[in-house]
Amino acid sequence: MTDEQIKGADPVVAAGVEKQLQGADVPTPQRIVVLSLIHRPPQRIVNYVQNILRRGDEAHVFVSRIEHWEEAELDPRPHLYPLDRPEEQLLVRRAERALVFRAPKAISNAAGRLADKRWGRPLRRPAELMSRAQPKASGAIHKRLFMPPYRAFRPQLLAKQFDTALSSIDFDTVDLVVASDVYTVTLAARLARLHPDVPVTTALEL
């Protein structure tokens, strides 16, 4: 029906036709949950979220570090959900810092204080060597011994750190969950178990 036909039709009929046309032109926005646990998200993931927003849909993004997503300056802005507590405050990370960095540094500092005493002169050379070697040794232990197994268990650890986010989203209204990187697969599996009616995918497609 053309605009002229609508204007010339019965007012009740014309109103009904216009309502139908308006409804056909305005699709219902989707609610899409995107999981992104790489600290600094790759541009392809940022672009995917931007495309969701530009299409008029809602983007709810689970993130490990909210500041990197805020730096992306997406417009309009997505809903961002950080970890319940920063990753650095997890027990395993705090224990690693204490054992690998703080304890050796404390020992090195104590040796340096002893070497400064008059009777501690024989310790000065070893204390200086220890002071120089300690940061490198701690860094090597962190990089080569701690991080490889931590990366393997990181998905399981972080999947349990989104209880606040999960309780703030009504998943009965969510249309899709997207696991955008390897670290989010465990979290996506958890959501699939909790909400079996919500589709879960790893494909960044609209």
Side-chain angles (χ1 to χ4, degrees), residues 2 7 24 34 50 76 79 87 110 113 124 126 128-129 140 154-155 189 191 199:
T2 65
K7 293 177 181 179
V34 179
Q50 182 70 85
H79 302 275
E87 187 173 353
R113 288 193 296 270
R124 288 182 181 175
E128 290 175 357
L129 293 175
R154 185 174 182 261
L191 293 179

Side-chain angles (χ1 to χ4, degrees), residues 11 19 52 62 85 91 126 140-141 160 164 168 183 198:
K19 185 175 181 180
I52 291 174
F62 287 32
R85 66 171 107 174
L91 178 60
I141 293 172
K160 301 175 182 178
T164 301
S168 63
Y183 295 115
V198 180

Side-chain angles (χ1 to χ4, degrees), residues 109-131:
N109 291 342
R113 288 193 296 270
L114 290 176
D116 287 338
K117 297 182 181 297
R118 181 178 300 177
W119 51 265
R121 289 180 180 177
L123 298 176
R124 288 182 181 175
R125 181 60 177 169
E128 290 175 357
L129 293 175
M130 183 184 297
S131 178

Side-chain angles (χ1 to χ4, degrees), residues 4 7 30 41 50 58 93 107 117 160:
E4 290 76 10
K7 293 177 181 179
Q30 289 189 316
Q50 182 70 85
E58 294 183 21
R93 297 303 299 268
I107 294 172
K117 297 182 181 297
K160 301 175 182 178

Side-chain angles (χ1 to χ4, degrees), residues 99-173:
L99 294 174
V100 176
F101 291 96
R102 292 175 183 169
K105 185 175 182 179
I107 294 172
S108 176
N109 291 342
R113 288 193 296 270
L114 290 176
D116 287 338
K117 297 182 181 297
R118 181 178 300 177
W119 51 265
R121 289 180 180 177
L123 298 176
R124 288 182 181 175
R125 181 60 177 169
E128 290 175 357
L129 293 175
M130 183 184 297
S131 178
R132 288 198 297 267
Q134 181 271 317
K136 293 181 179 179
S138 294
I141 293 172
H142 168 77
K143 183 178 181 179
R144 298 176 184 175
L145 297 181
F146 174 78
M147 287 307 296
Y150 177 75
R151 290 191 186 99
F153 286 101
R154 185 174 182 261
Q156 288 86 348
L157 292 172
L158 298 192
K160 301 175 182 178
Q161 298 299 318
F162 284 101
D163 290 341
T164 301
L166 294 180
S167 63
S168 63
I169 296 178
D170 180 6
F171 275 84
D172 289 337
T173 64

